[in-house]
């Protein structure tokens, strides 16, 4: 089905940071983006300084930096000055203990204020911050902290007792454990974080960091296999800042809500750093997804820019549009999505429901920031990821034997999505995995592992992960297209599509479908869905079989794990499932 292009009118982008894409992109240079920040003396740059101190020094210290909303609706506000003071205290408690530049500080926390303070305090002390998702069990935590050579951990007492204490002695590098939510009987060899913060001074001079000093260690989502430890440096803040400005249209008076957890790169790049460098107010909600709660937050907090993910959008769609009418969402100016392909159905639904579409954008842990995006002033083509960020050169390439690469310029030809390295937030390494890192580069390109197409207007279209593409009877089939078609059917809430071996066709397309509320799995519905897909996609591409599932296996960051659908279908080992979300939901 052809989706109608969503045309932008001048009134849709009054005051937007990016008014004329072509013109801006043609004269963009990274040095201009760097000049928007202050830097440290002697060419230094530090993420925490740019996020907070810069604003305080410029007289903007009273502005609200963070509004934290607790699970029970309690609210804590932090001005830039107050947040800065807490960050300084945290930096001091590290420095007092000899935790120095380059030392690794891990966090295992829910979305509590201490997480944000620890992240920025660590960076201000020139140490390296690595956030772990709090729902991880002991094994994935231990594996990541071991790879990362953790020296410090910040966690809650309850998490510590359950997830760390049993193996702590096995990680010799781990010297200091700071605990939140402490009971009276503090476990041995741990430090009460709030007591330590209270005793520390609230002034601290940023430890000098150069552009290439390591700042962040992020683990990938593990969608395609064993998670990688991605290294980012302080210069990345140049990209965090400008991409937030251009792709999310962040402005100093914005109230911005990024729903991602800082345990994943989105929740750090855009859930901590970018809103603060841009001087906005960020909303942090401690609670998990709940449609009504989310709409209430958007309304009551006057959120102007909202950044979320397809999995959440699909859950909102599942609940239906009716509920949105009970809320005044008129303050929301801009909505964006990342993490997985955003089905055209979801874009059209949002445009109909909210009067404005979700703007898809694409990036990876490795790229550190948004690389391809839709913008306020540019028409949206539902199903497209948009166009490259100014300063980013994107190519569609074909790999040949002997590692040769060729760029494909023909419109809508499928190939691997590749980027010319050199932007500030490009990963600098996969920690301790030199070979895996090296394999990402060839012919002057960084190879993303995703397949895509570019149309004649320069919009990019996601096809699928290279690993997920299905080869059936001489056709290359991207799962995204098939999934999106199934989602057009009113019964379908979610779909995951894989190829399974077939003696004649090579591979056969099989779909797994979760139904919307009010629909029952049946043979009749299976036939109807198969018919719908065949009619839309033709027999060569349409699934030959559909299985109904209550839920599809997903990573904790909300991505459908097609490799797991496949392993289970074929009775193969499940591989690394450390990031698999529990499947009861
Ligand atoms: P792993 O690398 O461990 O398998 P992962 O690739 O899911 O996990 P992330 O770095 O969190 O880890 O995710 C980046 C990937 O997510 C991209 O390479 C792409 O496949 C997918 N993705 C992100 N945004 C989009 C988007 N807008 N459209 C389509 N796919 C997207
Ligand atoms: Mg990846």
């Amino acid at each position: 089905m052809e989706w109608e292009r969503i045309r932008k009118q001048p009134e849709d982008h009054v005051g937007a940071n990016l008014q004329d894409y072509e013109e801006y992109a043609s004269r963009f240079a990274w040095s201009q983006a760097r000049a928007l920040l202050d830097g440290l003396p002697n060419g230094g740059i530090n993420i925490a300084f740019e996020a907070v101190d810069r604003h305080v020094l410029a007289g903007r210290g009273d502005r609200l930096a963070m509004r934290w909303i607790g699970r029970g609706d309690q609210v804590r506000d932090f001005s830039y000055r107050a947040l800065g003071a807490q960050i300084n205290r945290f930096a001091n408690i590290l420095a007092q203990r000899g935790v120095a530049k380059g030392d690794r500080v891990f966090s295992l926390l829910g979305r509590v204020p201490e997480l944000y303070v620890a992240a920025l305090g660590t960076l201000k002390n020139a140490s390296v911050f690595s956030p772990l998702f709090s729902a991880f069990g002991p094994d994935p935590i231990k594996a990541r902290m071991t790879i990362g050579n953790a020296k410090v951990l910040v966690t809650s007492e309850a998490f510590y007792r359950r997830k760390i204490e049993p193996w702590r002695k096995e990680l010799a590098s781990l010297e200091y454990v700071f605990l939140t939510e402490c009971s009276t009987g503090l476990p041995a060899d741990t430090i009460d974080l709030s007591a330590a913060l209270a005793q520390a001074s609230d002034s601290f001079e940023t430890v000098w960091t150069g552009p290439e000093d390591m700042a962040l260690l992020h683990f990938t989502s593990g969608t395609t296999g064993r998670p990688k430890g991605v290294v980012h440096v302080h210069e990345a803040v140049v990209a965090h800042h400008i991409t937030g400005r251009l792709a999310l249209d962040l402005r100093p008076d914005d109230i911005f809500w990024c729903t991602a957890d800082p345990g994943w790169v989105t929740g750090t790049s855009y859930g901590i750093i970018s809103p603060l460098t841009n001087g906005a107010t960020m909303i942090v909600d401690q609670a998990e997804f709940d449609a009504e709660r989310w709409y209430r937050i958007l309304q009551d907090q006057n959120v102007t820019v909202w950044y979320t993910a397809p999995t959440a959008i699909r859950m909102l769609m599942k609940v239906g549009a009716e509920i949105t009418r009970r809320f005044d969402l008129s303050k929301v100016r801009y909505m964006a999505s990342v993490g997985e392909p955003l089905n055209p159905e979801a874009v059209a639904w949002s445009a109909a429901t909210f009067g404005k579409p979700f703007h898809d954008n694409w990036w990876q842990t490795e790229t550190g920031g948004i690389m391809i995006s839709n913008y306020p002033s540019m028409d949206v083509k539902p199903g497209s990821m948009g166009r490259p960020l100014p300063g980013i050169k994107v190519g569609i390439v074909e790999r040949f034997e002997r590692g040769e690469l060729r760029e494909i310029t023909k419109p809508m030809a499928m190939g691997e999505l590749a980027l010319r390295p050199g932007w500030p937030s490009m990963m600098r390494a996969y920690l301790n995995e030199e070979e895996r890192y090296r394999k990402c580069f060839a012919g002057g390109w960084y190879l993303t592992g995703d397949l895509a197409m570019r149309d004649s207007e320069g919009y990019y279209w996601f096809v699928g992960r290279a690993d997920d593409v299905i080869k059936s009877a001489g056709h290359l089939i991207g799962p995204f297209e098939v999934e999106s078609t199934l989602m057009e059917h009113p019964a379908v809430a979610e779909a995951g599509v894989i190829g399974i071996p077939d003696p004649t066709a090579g591979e056969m397309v099989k779909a797994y479908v979760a139904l919307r509320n009010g629909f029952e799995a049946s043979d009749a519905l299976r036939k109807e869905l198969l018919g719908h897909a065949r009619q839309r996609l033709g027999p060569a591409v349409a699934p030959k079989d559909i299985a109904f599932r209550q839920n599809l296996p997903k990573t904790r960051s909300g991505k459908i794990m097609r490799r797991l659908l496949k392993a289970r279908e074929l009775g193969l080992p499940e591989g690394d499932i450390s990031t698999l979300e529990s499947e009861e939901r």
Side-chain angles (χ1 to χ4, degrees), residues 453-472:
M453 307 181 290
R454 176 178 48 225
D455 70 18
S456 56
E457 290 179 286
Y459 283 68
Y460 284 79
W461 299 77
F462 183 81
V463 174
R465 310 244 186 181
D467 295 356
D468 291 339
V469 165
I470 302 158
K471 297 177 195 75
S472 183

Side-chain angles (χ1 to χ4, degrees), residues 220-228 264-265 337-342 360-366 385 448 450 462 465 555 557 559:
T220 60
S221 289
T223 315
T224 55
R226 188 167 42 86
K228 296 149 271 195
W264 311 110
V265 72
S337 164
V338 73
E340 273 199 302
L342 183 62
D360 189 19
N361 57 55
W362 176 95
W363 59 290
Q364 311 177 301
T365 311
E366 289 86 342
M385 311 188 281
T448 67
D450 287 342
F462 183 81
R465 310 244 186 181
T555 65
S557 52
K559 298 166 196 264

Side-chain angles (χ1 to χ4, degrees), residues 282-297:
M282 59 183 195
I283 300 292
V284 174
D285 181 26
Q286 183 187 23
E288 296 313 315
F289 175 86
D290 174 82
E292 187 162 344
R293 180 181 178 90
W294 276 31
Y295 288 132
R296 187 155 17 86
I297 289 176

Side-chain angles (χ1 to χ4, degrees), residues 290-300 319-330 353-354:
D290 174 82
E292 187 162 344
R293 180 181 178 90
W294 276 31
Y295 288 132
R296 187 155 17 86
I297 289 176
L298 290 169
Q299 169 188 273
D300 293 353
V319 176
E322 188 59 36
I323 175 177
T324 60
R325 293 188 200 114
R326 302 202 333 247
F327 297 90
D328 174 7
L329 305 175
S330 60
T353 306
F354 304 107

Side-chain angles (χ1 to χ4, degrees), residues 5-217:
R5 172 187 189 117
I6 299 172
R7 292 202 179 272
K8 294 290 180 67
Q9 307 300 331
E11 61 267 26
D12 295 327
H13 50 93
V14 177
N17 293 324
L18 184 60
Q19 290 290 344
D20 184 339
Y21 174 84
E22 306 285 352
E23 192 260 343
Y24 190 99
S26 70
R27 60 176 175 78
F28 178 87
W30 282 107
S31 56
Q32 295 162 3
R34 170 66 182 78
L36 297 171
L37 299 174
D38 283 4
L40 300 176
N42 305 320
I45 189 162
N46 180 282
I47 295 175
F49 181 88
E50 300 302 335
V52 179
D53 301 70
R54 189 166 67 92
H55 301 298
V56 178
L57 289 172
R60 298 188 291 268
D62 291 333
R63 298 182 64 102
L64 190 59
M66 171 164 84
R67 166 160 293 179
W68 176 81
I69 304 168
R71 214 168 262 132
D73 286 345
Q74 65 277 38
V75 166
R76 280 179 68 188
D77 281 345
F78 295 82
S79 66
Y80 275 88
R81 180 177 298 105
L83 183 61
Q86 286 299 96
I87 290 166
N88 288 348
R89 289 175 189 275
F90 189 84
N92 274 315
I93 67 176
L94 293 181
Q96 279 159 14
R97 289 169 177 81
V99 179
K101 188 168 182 169
D103 286 343
R104 314 285 161 74
V105 178
F106 278 68
S107 69
L108 179 75
L109 290 166
R111 287 182 297 279
V112 292
E114 290 84 348
L115 169 58
Y116 299 80
V117 167
L120 294 163
T122 298
L123 295 169
K124 194 160 179 180
N125 187 49
S127 307
V128 174
F129 185 66
S130 185
L132 296 177
F133 188 55
S134 63
F136 278 150
D139 290 349
I141 294 168
K142 183 181 173 193
R144 286 163 178 74
M145 287 177 63
T146 305
I147 294 172
N149 205 23
K151 183 165 189 167
V152 178
L153 173 69
V154 187
T155 188
S156 70
E157 181 177 333
F159 285 156
Y160 179 76
R161 290 191 187 278
R162 239 179 329 128
K163 304 182 182 197
I164 311 289
E165 208 167 25
W167 56 265
R168 175 174 177 179
K169 293 267 171 324
E170 293 164 46
L171 185 59
S173 67
L174 183 60
E175 289 184 39
Y176 301 105
V177 175
F178 293 97
L179 298 183
T180 63
E181 299 171 63
C182 296
S183 65
T184 43
L186 202 62
D189 296 324
T190 63
I191 302 159
D192 179 335
L193 178 65
S194 56
L197 286 172
Q199 282 158 20
S201 156
D202 65 1
S203 63
F204 183 88
E205 183 144 358
T206 311
V207 177
W208 192 89
T209 44
E212 290 300 317
D213 281 328
M214 182 170 169
L216 297 161
L217 174 63

